[in-house]
Amino acid sequence: MDIEGYAKRGLRANDPELEDKLTARILEVKKTTPQHARRLAQATIVEARNTLNVKGDILEPTVSGVTMGEFGVGSRGTGDFYTHEKIAEVIGKTGAVVDSAQLDDSGVVLGNGSDKYIIVTIDGIHSRLSDFSFLAGFHVARASLRDVYVMGARPVALLSDIHVADDGDVAKIFDHIAGITTVSELTGIPLITGSTLRIGGDMMIGERMTGGVGAVGTTSDLTARNQTRVGDVILMTEGAGGGTVSTTALYYNMHHVVNETMNVKFLEACEALIASGLLPHIHAMTDVTNGGIRGDAKEISKTAGVKLIFEEEKMRALVNPVVLDMLESLKIDYLGVSLDALLIIAPQEYAQDIMHVVKEAGVAIDIIGRVEKGSGAEIRIAGEIRDFTPRFRESAYTPIKKMIGEEEPRDFLEMKHAIDRAAENAIEKKRRIVEMIKRGSA
């Protein structure tokens, strides 16, 4: 619980009972005395009041009037993708080989005085795995390594960032690290540094955990999405899901399905491809995560300026049967959730060689589509071509997500305009602050 946010809402509403209410909320969560809870509430209100109406360009926040939940940020659908496009605009031109503007899995720069590419990425833990810190660590470490591998790079190191709320057990940290380093021991890629903090310091009570894992790798041959070419074929490996599928299994009380996600097949397939020497013949690779294949197809099409055609029957056969049974029994569209499969885009003449190498590594793979001229994506289901655009949110895969739904809000266009203005304001604010600092150091 964010007691600072609670206090600020109460102050804005001029709630005369704010101190009593906040004291009661603190006592609901923290194991403490009424006297200590009241002193904590009083101190929180003092700090909240002192930062409620700040002035000046540096301190005044940029505001859009649109909340994260309303716009679907983090929900791996059209609202989330749109926000990431705006993030790239706020960052601006970077001079990197691959940056946020390309909507790729990782960023890429050239090493100083070297022809080697340095790949950097970071993934956040699945928000619903806070109570399952080992599982959260395992899946986020695996996801981070995937994002480096799909750029055609071999990962060399992992780093972690762990935040646990004030009332969380310290052992959450150890359990989380154990999950990360399980992946390390299976792959030989070490966890070498990180940060450990409380969420919000003294202002966040409860047991919530969040954080992320980053990875760094190097390569001489990139397989970025923007290299996708007309005439290429699309291959996909088997997928059993990761954090998303685990979350579905946990919150629908189908816990046995979690075990299906505990593997490193994706990483083994990538390692086999690197060792085979085939990377120079692969145009692009990505992991089937953000919004499922629907989301990945949209991003690849936009980045490369091509149209992608998929065969549903071929894709279905590559989904772990236990996972697929669960998703279908819950009426969850498997094409709109993270399957953690490897998507490979390459010239047709190399497809058989690629599949041979991956199968030799013990991982199933097949050709599931092709790349054509045009834009967007289509899917062939039982011989019928259907549109394959992502929804406003990824497939609803927990009871709460089903309640919220996947439909685009009626005022989405208005919200987009508000987001546009907020991004423009942030860019202009950056310009002003840069000029101010330059003047001060001149």
Side-chain angles (χ1 to χ4, degrees):
M1 176 185 173
D2 178 6
I3 57 176
E4 182 178 21
Y6 188 97
K8 287 186 174 180
R9 286 192 294 274
L11 289 169
R12 291 190 185 100
N14 295 312
D15 186 350
E17 300 176 355
L18 174 59
E19 184 181 311
D20 290 339
K21 289 180 179 178
L22 184 53
T23 300
R25 298 292 83 76
I26 293 169
L27 283 170
E28 287 177 7
V29 177
K30 291 190 76 67
K31 296 177 181 178
T32 188
T33 65
Q35 294 80 7
H36 180 264
R38 184 164 295 276
R39 289 198 303 272
L40 182 54
Q42 291 168 343
T44 301
I45 292 168
V46 168
E47 292 191 15
R49 182 177 286 114
N50 288 339
T51 55
L52 192 61
N53 296 302
V54 294
K55 300 296 180 185
D57 213 7
I58 295 174
L59 298 180
E60 290 184 57
T62 301
V63 177
S64 70
V66 180
T67 69
M68 296 280 283
E70 288 172 334
F71 205 66
V73 180
S75 294
R76 303 314 189 202
T78 52
D80 187 53
F81 299 145
Y82 191 80
T83 302
H84 279 78
E85 291 172 16
K86 292 298 162 182
I87 289 171
E89 290 180 16
V90 175
I91 292 171
K93 293 183 184 294
T94 65
V97 178
V98 177
D99 61 22
S100 297
Q102 280 96 325
L103 302 175
D104 221 313
D105 295 277
S106 304
V108 182
V109 294
L110 272 172
N112 291 333
S114 168
D115 60 353
K116 279 267 189 182
Y117 296 111
I118 299 172
I119 289 79
V120 181
T121 193
I122 187 163
D123 280 270
I125 72 168
H126 197 292
S127 58
R128 297 303 308 279
L129 295 181
S130 172
D131 289 336
F132 309 94
S133 48
F134 180 93
L135 195 60
F138 179 91
H139 283 309
V140 71
R142 201 178 64 165
S144 194
L145 292 179
R146 285 200 314 264
D147 284 350
V148 171
Y149 268 122
V150 297
M151 300 302 286
R154 178 173 275 119
V156 295
L158 288 163
L159 56 146
S160 72
D161 182 33
I162 306 167
H163 297 247
V164 181
D166 197 61
D167 301 289
D169 193 303
V170 173
K172 270 183 176 277
I173 299 167
F174 307 143
D175 208 26
H176 186 63
I177 292 292
I180 296 170
T181 51
T182 295
V183 176
S184 288
E185 293 190 19
L186 288 169
T187 61
I189 301 161
L191 174 66
I192 62 171
T193 189
S195 171
T196 306
L197 295 167
R198 288 179 299 157
I199 300 174
D202 300 310
M203 290 297 197
M204 180 67 73
I205 60 177
E207 301 176 22
R208 205 77 187 171
M209 183 185 81
T210 188
V213 169
V216 180
T218 61
T219 187
S220 299
D221 299 294
L222 278 181
T223 52
R225 293 175 177 180
N226 60 7
Q227 298 183 125
T228 300
R229 298 289 181 265
V230 172
D232 286 348
V233 293
I234 307 168
L235 303 96
M236 189 175 89
T237 67
E238 63 183 279
T244 297
V245 167
S246 294
T247 297
T248 304
L250 287 166
Y251 292 103
Y252 275 107
N253 197 25
M254 302 173 77
H255 300 175
H256 66 284
V257 180
V258 171
N259 290 344
E260 302 296 321
T261 72
M262 302 299 289
N263 64 76
V264 290
K265 288 187 175 182
F266 185 110
L267 310 183
E268 290 170 342
C270 290
E271 191 63 39
L273 286 171
I274 291 174
S276 73
L278 282 170
L279 281 187
H281 305 300
I282 293 174
H283 285 161
M285 295 198 295
T286 191
D287 52 346
V288 179
T289 51
N290 296 344
I293 301 178
R294 292 181 184 274
D296 290 315
K298 173 184 168 62
E299 291 182 340
I300 294 168
S301 171
K302 181 179 178 64
T303 299
V306 295
K307 184 175 185 177
L308 283 72
I309 309 292
F310 294 91
E311 300 288 338
E312 190 273 338
E313 185 179 351
K314 294 289 188 70
M315 289 189 284
R316 174 181 291 272
L318 290 165
V319 182
N320 177 286
V322 176
V323 171
L324 185 62
D325 284 348
M326 177 187 73
L327 295 175
E328 296 203 321
S329 71
L330 298 171
K331 294 182 170 54
I332 297 170
D333 175 19
Y334 80 93
L335 299 171
V337 294
S338 300
L339 295 175
D340 294 53
L342 171 62
L343 214 63
I344 302 169
I345 300 176
Q348 187 162 3
E349 57 264 35
Y350 293 104
Q352 293 302 319
D353 290 338
I354 291 168
M355 289 194 291
H356 175 75
V357 167
V358 172
K359 288 176 181 177
E360 283 290 299
V363 182
I365 185 173
D366 200 358
I367 297 173
I368 63 160
R370 63 188 184 276
V371 181
E372 296 184 351
K373 289 182 180 179
S375 62
E378 291 179 349
I379 184 170
R380 187 185 298 274
I381 301 177
E384 181 182 341
I385 290 287
R386 300 184 190 177
D387 181 57
F388 201 41
T389 55
R391 299 185 175 93
F392 182 69
R393 291 184 174 87
E394 63 191 327
S395 299
Y397 57 87
T398 68
I400 288 177
K401 287 184 179 292
K402 281 188 177 290
M403 182 273 295
I404 293 171
E406 305 165 3
E407 300 305 314
E408 183 177 297
R410 293 179 182 177
D411 57 348
F412 183 51
L413 186 59
E414 294 175 21
M415 290 195 288
K416 284 174 73 172
H417 291 327
I419 297 297
D420 290 343
R421 290 191 295 271
E424 290 165 4
N425 290 340
I427 292 167
E428 180 59 23
K429 179 176 181 177
K430 176 176 69 170
R431 184 193 63 77
R432 293 194 302 269
I433 301 302
V434 168
E435 289 184 358
M436 180 194 76
I437 293 172
K438 284 182 176 178
R439 286 196 303 270
S441 60

